[in-house]
Coordinates of all heavy atoms in Angstrom, one line a residue:
S1 N -113.2 81.9 5.8 CA -111.7 81.8 5.9 C -111.2 80.8 5.0 O -111.7 79.6 5.1 CB -111.3 81.5 7.4 OG -111.8 80.3 7.9
P2 N -110.3 81.1 4.0 CA -109.9 80.1 3.1 C -108.9 79.1 3.8 O -108.3 79.4 4.9 CB -109.1 80.9 2.1 CG -108.8 82.2 2.8 CD -109.8 82.4 3.8
G3 N -108.6 77.9 3.2 CA -107.7 77.0 3.7 C -108.3 75.8 4.5 O -109.5 75.6 4.5
Q4 N -107.5 75.2 5.3 CA -108.0 74.2 6.2 C -107.1 74.2 7.4 O -106.0 74.6 7.5 CB -107.9 72.8 5.6 CG -106.4 72.4 5.1 CD -106.5 71.0 4.4 OE1 -107.5 70.4 4.0 NE2 -105.3 70.4 4.3
P5 N -107.6 73.7 8.5 CA -106.9 73.7 9.8 C -105.6 73.0 9.7 O -105.5 71.9 9.0 CB -107.8 73.0 10.8 CG -109.2 73.3 10.3 CD -109.1 73.2 8.8
S6 N -104.6 73.6 10.3 CA -103.2 73.0 10.1 C -102.3 73.5 11.3 O -102.7 74.5 11.9 CB -102.6 73.5 8.7 OG -101.3 73.1 8.6
A7 N -101.2 72.8 11.4 CA -100.2 73.3 12.4 C -99.3 74.2 11.7 O -98.4 75.0 12.4 CB -99.5 72.1 13.0
L8 N -99.2 74.2 10.4 CA -98.4 75.1 9.6 C -98.9 76.5 9.4 O -100.1 76.6 9.2 CB -98.1 74.5 8.2 CG -96.9 73.5 8.1 CD1 -97.0 73.0 6.6 CD2 -95.6 74.2 8.3
G9 N -98.1 77.5 9.8 CA -98.5 78.8 9.6 C -97.4 79.8 9.9 O -96.3 79.4 9.7
D10 N -97.7 80.9 10.3 CA -96.7 81.9 10.7 C -97.3 82.8 11.9 O -98.5 82.7 12.2 CB -96.2 82.8 9.6 CG -97.4 83.6 8.9 OD1 -98.5 83.4 9.4 OD2 -97.1 84.2 7.8
H11 N -96.4 83.6 12.4 CA -96.9 84.5 13.5 C -96.9 85.9 13.1 O -95.9 86.4 12.4 CB -95.8 84.3 14.7 CG -95.8 83.0 15.4 ND1 -95.2 81.9 14.8 CD2 -96.5 82.6 16.5 CE1 -95.4 80.9 15.7 NE2 -96.2 81.2 16.7
Q12 N -98.0 86.5 13.3 CA -98.2 87.9 12.9 C -99.0 88.6 14.0 O -99.8 88.0 14.7 CB -98.9 88.0 11.6 CG -98.3 87.5 10.4 CD -99.1 87.7 9.1 OE1 -99.9 88.6 9.1 NE2 -98.9 86.8 8.1
F13 N -98.8 89.9 14.1 CA -99.8 90.6 15.0 C -101.1 91.0 14.2 O -102.1 91.2 14.9 CB -99.1 91.9 15.4 CG -98.0 91.7 16.5 CD1 -96.7 91.8 16.1 CD2 -98.3 91.4 17.8 CE1 -95.7 91.5 17.0 CE2 -97.3 91.2 18.8 CZ -96.0 91.3 18.3
H14 N -101.1 91.0 13.0 CA -102.2 91.2 12.2 C -103.2 90.2 12.5 O -103.0 89.0 12.6 CB -101.8 91.1 10.6 CG -103.0 91.1 9.7 ND1 -103.7 92.2 9.5 CD2 -103.5 90.0 9.0 CE1 -104.7 91.9 8.6 NE2 -104.6 90.6 8.3
A15 N -104.5 90.6 12.8 CA -105.5 89.6 13.2 C -106.1 88.9 12.0 O -106.5 89.5 11.0 CB -106.7 90.3 13.9
R16 N -106.1 87.6 12.0 CA -106.6 86.7 10.9 C -107.5 85.7 11.4 O -107.3 85.0 12.4 CB -105.4 86.1 10.2 CG -104.3 87.0 9.6 CD -103.2 86.2 9.3 NE -102.3 85.9 10.5 CZ -101.3 85.0 10.4 NH1 -101.0 84.4 9.3 NH2 -100.6 84.7 11.5
A17 N -108.6 85.5 10.7 CA -109.6 84.6 11.1 C -109.0 83.2 11.1 O -108.3 82.8 10.2 CB -110.8 84.6 10.1
G18 N -109.2 82.5 12.2 CA -108.7 81.2 12.4 C -107.4 81.1 13.1 O -107.0 80.0 13.5
Y19 N -106.7 82.2 13.3 CA -105.4 82.3 14.0 C -105.6 82.8 15.4 O -106.5 83.5 15.8 CB -104.5 83.1 13.3 CG -103.8 82.4 12.1 CD1 -104.5 82.2 10.9 CD2 -102.5 81.9 12.2 CE1 -103.9 81.6 9.9 CE2 -101.9 81.3 11.1 CZ -102.6 81.1 10.0 OH -102.0 80.5 8.9
H20 N -104.6 82.4 16.3 CA -104.5 83.0 17.7 C -104.4 84.5 17.7 O -103.7 85.1 16.8 CB -103.4 82.3 18.4 CG -102.9 82.9 19.6 ND1 -102.0 83.8 19.8 CD2 -103.3 82.6 20.9 CE1 -101.8 84.1 21.0 NE2 -102.7 83.4 21.8
L21 N -105.1 85.1 18.6 CA -105.0 86.5 18.7 C -103.7 86.9 19.5 O -103.5 86.4 20.5 CB -106.2 87.1 19.6 CG -106.2 88.6 19.8 CD1 -106.6 89.3 18.4 CD2 -107.2 89.0 20.9
A22 N -102.9 87.7 18.8 CA -101.7 88.2 19.5 C -102.0 89.3 20.6 O -103.1 89.9 20.5 CB -100.8 88.8 18.4
P23 N -101.1 89.4 21.5 CA -101.3 90.3 22.6 C -101.1 91.7 22.1 O -100.5 91.9 21.1 CB -100.3 89.9 23.7 CG -99.2 89.3 22.9 CD -99.9 88.6 21.7
A24 N -101.6 92.8 22.8 CA -101.3 94.1 22.5 C -101.5 95.0 23.8 O -102.6 94.9 24.5 CB -102.3 94.6 21.4
V25 N -100.6 95.9 24.0 CA -100.7 96.9 25.1 C -101.5 98.0 24.5 O -101.1 98.6 23.5 CB -99.3 97.3 25.6 CG1 -99.5 98.4 26.7 CG2 -98.6 96.0 26.2
L26 N -102.6 98.4 25.1 CA -103.5 99.5 24.7 C -102.9 100.8 25.2 O -102.0 101.0 26.0 CB -104.8 99.2 25.2 CG -105.4 97.9 24.8 CD1 -106.9 97.7 25.4 CD2 -105.4 97.7 23.2
S27 N -103.5 101.9 24.7 CA -103.1 103.3 25.0 C -103.2 103.6 26.4 O -102.5 104.5 26.9 CB -103.9 104.3 24.2 OG -105.3 104.1 24.4
D28 N -104.0 102.8 27.2 CA -104.2 103.2 28.6 C -103.3 102.3 29.4 O -103.3 102.3 30.7 CB -105.6 103.0 29.1 CG -106.2 101.6 28.9 OD1 -105.4 100.7 28.5 OD2 -107.3 101.3 29.3
G29 N -102.4 101.5 28.7 CA -101.4 100.7 29.5 C -101.9 99.3 29.8 O -101.1 98.5 30.3
T30 N -103.2 99.0 29.5 CA -103.8 97.7 29.8 C -103.4 96.8 28.7 O -103.2 97.1 27.6 CB -105.2 97.7 30.1 OG1 -105.9 98.2 28.9 CG2 -105.6 98.6 31.3
Q31 N -103.5 95.5 28.9 CA -103.4 94.4 28.0 C -104.8 94.1 27.3 O -105.8 93.9 28.1 CB -102.8 93.2 28.5 CG -102.6 92.0 27.8 CD -101.9 92.1 26.4 OE1 -102.5 92.0 25.4 NE2 -100.6 92.5 26.5
V32 N -104.9 93.8 26.0 CA -106.1 93.6 25.4 C -106.8 92.3 26.0 O -107.9 92.2 26.1 CB -105.9 93.4 23.9 CG1 -105.2 92.2 23.6 CG2 -107.2 93.5 23.1
F33 N -105.9 91.3 26.4 CA -106.5 90.1 27.0 C -107.2 90.3 28.2 O -108.1 89.6 28.6 CB -105.3 89.0 27.2 CG -104.9 88.3 26.0 CD1 -104.0 88.8 25.1 CD2 -105.5 87.0 25.7 CE1 -103.7 88.1 23.9 CE2 -105.1 86.3 24.6 CZ -104.3 86.8 23.7
D34 N -106.9 91.4 29.0 CA -107.5 91.8 30.2 C -109.0 92.2 30.0 O -109.9 92.2 30.8 CB -106.9 92.9 31.0 CG -105.5 92.5 31.4 OD1 -105.3 91.2 31.6 OD2 -104.6 93.3 31.6
H35 N -109.4 92.6 28.7 CA -110.7 93.0 28.3 C -111.5 92.0 27.7 O -112.7 92.1 27.4 CB -110.5 94.3 27.4 CG -109.8 95.4 28.0 ND1 -110.4 96.4 28.8 CD2 -108.5 95.7 28.0 CE1 -109.5 97.3 29.2 NE2 -108.4 96.9 28.7

């Protein structure tokens, strides 16, 4: 993963190495965090 740890960034649903995973409601109605 390029770069260095920082507080500066942006928010995206796109999954990026080093960033927080955004939530997502799956096709069965469950939340990805539940899995």
Side-chain angles (χ1 to χ4, degrees):
S1 60
Q4 62 181 9
S6 174
L8 273 174
D10 60 2
H11 290 80
Q12 298 182 24
F13 287 103
H14 172 69
R16 296 168 291 169
Y19 279 78
H20 168 264
L21 181 73
V25 177
L26 306 177
S27 58
D28 62 0
T30 61
Q31 171 56 243
V32 69
F33 278 83
D34 295 336
H35 298 272

